[in-house]
Amino acid sequence: MVNIIIVMQRYSILSLARNALSGHRGWAEAWRSPPLKDRYDAIIVGAGGHGLAAAYYLAKEHGITDVAVLEAGWLGGGNVARNTVTIRSNYMRDESIPFYVKSVAMFEGLTRELNFNMMHSKRTMIDVLQTWGMVRDRRRRRLIMDIYGATYEDISVDELRRRVPALTGGRPDSRLPILGAAVHTDAAVNRHDAVAWGYARAADAMGVEMHQKTPATKLLRGADGAIAGVETPRGTVRAKTVALAVSGHTTTLTETAGLRLPLRTINLTAFVSEPVKPVVDVIVNCPDLGVYLSQSDKGELVIGGATDLGQSFRRDIKQSVFEDTVAAMLDLFPRFRRLKLMRQWGGHLDMAHDATPIVSATDIPGLIVSAGWWGGYKAIPAGGAGLAHLIATGRPDPLTAPFGLNRFRTLDYVVETGTTTAR
Amino acid sequence: MLLIDCPFCGKRNESEFVYGGPAMPARPADPSALDDAHWVDHLTVPPNPMGPVEERWWHLRGCGSWLTIRRDTVTHAIAEVRHGG
Ligand SMILES: Cc1cc2nc3c(=O)[nH]c(=O)nc-3n(C[C@H](O)[C@H](O)[C@H](O)COP(=O)(O)OP(=O)(O)OC[C@H]3O[C@@H](n4cnc5c(N)ncnc54)[C@H](O)[C@@H]3O)c2cc1C
Ligand SMILES: [Zn+2]
């Protein structure tokens, strides 16, 4: 039963023209700010990509709309807005690839589905390979990806230089000469704010409530040990099902209920250059050196590097990580030496013991976690759908079933390395 | 950049060291006395506080010693550096 209780204002060229004529004063708010109730059917903690997508699919696919999404800060102010928007499915394991293939495909239809312009832009990703170990790793990946319909094609160094003329480093006389490259044509970039806002607006239109500036400070358990709700500075909110999608703060919250999870919180960072004329039209990923970059529609180069290795709850960039990333970039793109860098930032996320995400029920009945998304922007549509399925039915859907916590109990790890640098 | 005060070499830049992972809690004296859940927790669950953690660093480009440091995950401040585990 889906109660469409709010009429969502449709965005179109006509509505744009009409509102332009009236000085843009006629736009309705994209979502409501209703009063916080003290009880819901389900609570989702965290209004990032995963929490909002789960709220949307919960209403749309399962008809569950008595849902509150509680957000400590503001909607879409977390990692969903701090990442480098690389959307891709070149992963390594049979358990991961079909999930990411599906998520990449869902992203392609999202603009239409949510009536929100995601500025989705297919951008081939090219992995630049500089060690034989990496060449072998990519070949192995290609063979597995082939099974699941993800594209990965080897190209020669000459073809790489033809496609990415700015890449003039990595010559045969350099420390790490380029040996080859692998092309993943399924990759894409889009606009992260639009993903958060689009899901939020569509979920709101089906009756889901979003409450900003409402941190969950403590998980509440009933006398039977099951989850009973959460404590917030605005009062206690009760629900029989609580799902955590708090990226980086999963253990901060579960430990308030005595639950320990195999997660470490780490810091990832990025920076952008001044806008320049079109210079790279693909996502270039250099896993051996630890740098990847793409060019935004505005012309800025968006550059990411390796993680800060130790645990970290910081949102800034460590100077040594920044320097290493810049040095790696200049090795391959010496002409970028003259680029001015405009902004840098970071975010903290959690990573599971085997580096594969967790979408799972827990030892606390009614408590569900979606965590370990250290490269989980690309995973928002399929991860949100999987989380919604778990909340609604108590069982995982087939694509997220391998991401259960039980794999640790049975030592059945899904060891995944992403592509080392490109999340 | 962390400044790690190696007991043998003095204050050195983080770039001289290799991160060796979180220092896991002491190995249970009698693993066979634990149930599977607790043993797996011991293997896979590191402390993850917003606050001090203990971690291993290898002074590879220095004296070669393995050190344990206590560092705050929010401020990066290092409260203690000691040789070995
Ligand atoms: C620099 C950087 C680059 C990245 N690049 C990529 C990339 O190219 N491709 C890719 O796929 N992924 C990338 N990622 C990873 C991606 O951003 C994350 O995996 C993903 O955004 C995490 O899921 P989320 O959107 O739900 O998280 P978030 O947006 O962080 O949502 C979690 C929300 O929970 C809220 N919260 C936390 N604690 C509480 C509490 N107690 N109560 C209430 N609310 C709480 C937070 O405020 C936050 O809004 C990158 C990340 C970073 C930092
Ligand atoms: Zn030393």
Side-chain angles (χ1 to χ4, degrees):
Chain A
M1 162 216 61
V2 183
N3 302 326
I4 310 266
I5 52 172
I6 298 101
V7 182
M8 189 169 83
Q9 154 185 265
R10 304 269 320 160
Y11 295 151
S12 67
I13 186 82
L14 278 179
S15 71
L16 191 61
R18 204 166 43 240
N19 280 286
L21 289 177
S22 58
H24 290 296
R25 278 184 295 267
W27 294 108
E29 294 210 319
W31 51 79
R32 300 156 299 148
S33 303
L36 183 65
K37 298 191 295 179
D38 60 6
R39 184 180 296 276
Y40 294 86
D41 283 349
I43 295 172
I44 296 173
V45 185
H50 284 269
L52 292 168
Y56 169 76
Y57 294 113
L58 206 50
K60 174 162 175 272
E61 306 293 339
H62 305 279
I64 297 177
T65 58
D66 184 27
V67 175
V69 184
L70 306 183
E71 167 55 47
W74 66 95
L75 188 155
N79 295 300
V80 68
R82 307 177 80 83
N83 71 88
T84 48
V85 296
T86 311
I87 298 167
R88 58 178 185 84
S89 57
N90 47 346
Y91 274 77
M92 206 163 84
R93 300 285 171 199
D94 297 88
E95 292 86 349
S96 321
I97 302 167
F99 169 81
Y100 289 108
V101 166
K102 172 74 176 177
S103 206
V104 170
M106 286 170 80
F107 254 129
E108 281 167 19
L110 214 53
T111 291
R112 195 152 288 208
E113 173 163 359
L114 300 180
N115 176 236
F116 206 109
N117 187 356
M118 300 287 155
M119 301 175 73
H120 198 80
S121 170
K122 271 257 179 174
R123 257 343 130 83
T124 289
M125 172 165 163
I126 302 189
D127 288 346
V128 177
L129 312 177
Q130 297 171 275
T131 59
W132 290 112
M134 197 58 79
V135 171
R136 276 193 294 276
D137 170 272
R138 294 305 130 133
R139 162 174 304 160
R140 181 172 179 280
R141 252 173 229 249
R142 172 162 55 74
L143 294 173
I144 307 174
M145 284 164 59
D146 272 350
I147 302 173
Y148 301 103
T151 64
Y152 221 24
E153 185 202 338
D154 294 333
I155 56 169
S156 67
V157 179
D158 287 346
E159 175 64 10
L160 168 68
R161 296 209 189 272
R162 192 187 67 73
R163 292 201 197 182
V164 191
L167 202 169
T168 55
R171 295 276 162 198
D173 60 347
S174 64
R175 186 173 68 87
L176 283 181
I178 297 173
L179 303 171
V183 179
H184 179 50
T185 53
D186 303 331
V189 295
N190 67 6
R191 178 166 180 228
H192 36 43
D193 292 331
V195 171
W197 298 340
Y199 273 123
R201 171 170 164 269
D204 170 87
M206 290 185 283
V208 171
E209 296 182 9
M210 264 94 55
H211 295 281
Q212 307 185 61
K213 295 191 199 149
T214 311
T217 50
K218 189 177 182 330
L219 300 179
L220 294 178
R221 300 176 73 167
D224 55 355
I227 201 79
V230 301
E231 215 61 90
T232 83
R234 298 173 61 194
T236 304
V237 189
R238 295 185 178 277
K240 286 210 156 51
T241 308
V242 174
L244 305 184
V246 289
S247 139
H249 285 286
T250 315
T251 59
T252 320
L253 269 176
T254 61
E255 277 168 16
T256 67
L259 178 68
R260 303 173 67 229
L261 293 175
L263 290 164
R264 271 188 315 135
T265 297
I266 54 165
N267 160 277
L268 290 180
T269 50
F271 45 94
V272 295
S273 75
E274 61 188 319
V276 291
K277 289 195 172 155
V279 57
V280 272
D281 62 359
V282 295
I283 303 161
V284 184
N285 175 38
C286 312
D288 289 300
L289 286 181
V291 60
Y292 66 97
L293 55 89
S294 64
Q295 192 168 18
S296 74
D297 292 345
K298 276 188 286 185
E300 302 160 325
L301 287 169
V302 182
I303 303 152
T307 59
D308 182 9
L309 288 172
Q311 282 151 283
S312 170
F313 283 84
R314 295 186 68 90
R315 289 214 168 100
D316 55 357
I317 188 168
K318 206 192 236 178
Q319 183 64 18
S320 48
V321 173
F322 177 65
E323 284 179 9
D324 288 351
T325 310
V326 171
M329 175 177 75
L330 295 183
D331 235 33
L332 291 174
F333 296 89
R335 74 172 62 166
F336 289 174
R337 199 170 302 272
R338 294 173 59 192
L339 277 180
K340 291 192 183 67
L341 299 176
M342 307 297 280
R343 301 187 302 282
Q344 82 269 353
W345 68 90
H348 52 265
L349 314 120
D350 37 38
M351 186 190 268
H353 183 68
D354 58 359
T356 286
I358 295 171
V359 180
S360 182
T362 64
D363 287 347
I364 301 179
L367 179 68
I368 292 171
V369 295
S370 173
W373 297 111
W374 55 283
Y377 180 71
K378 63 183 81 62
I380 286 171
L387 179 56
H389 190 280
L390 187 55
I391 296 171
T393 68
R395 289 183 312 276
D397 72 352
L399 287 176
T400 52
F403 303 160
L405 274 167
N406 263 340
R407 69 181 190 265
F408 299 102
R409 291 281 153 84
T410 54
L411 300 184
D412 216 359
Y413 302 149
V414 184
V415 178
E416 186 55 85
T417 64
T419 59
T420 322
T421 53
R423 339 288 192 199
Chain B
M1 181 86 75
L2 301 177
L3 204 54
I4 299 175
D5 195 0
C6 173
F8 307 104
C9 313
K11 290 197 164 93
R12 297 298 181 89
N13 278 340
E14 175 186 346
S15 52
E16 290 189 6
F17 295 80
V18 174
Y19 175 67
M24 298 296 276
R27 185 183 160 93
D30 182 8
S32 60
L34 295 182
D35 59 18
D36 286 358
H38 283 92
W39 178 241
V40 169
D41 273 6
H42 167 70
L43 292 178
T44 63
V45 180
N48 191 39
M50 295 179 73
V53 287
E54 296 218 326
E55 52 193 26
R56 312 255 190 248
W57 288 81
W58 180 24
H59 199 180
L60 177 66
R61 295 171 198 92
C63 62
S65 303
W66 275 95
L67 309 177
T68 300
I69 76 174
R70 194 158 77 247
R71 181 182 59 82
D72 192 294
T73 58
V74 178
T75 63
H76 278 327
I78 298 174
E80 187 193 340
V81 182
R82 58 178 195 269
H83 182 215

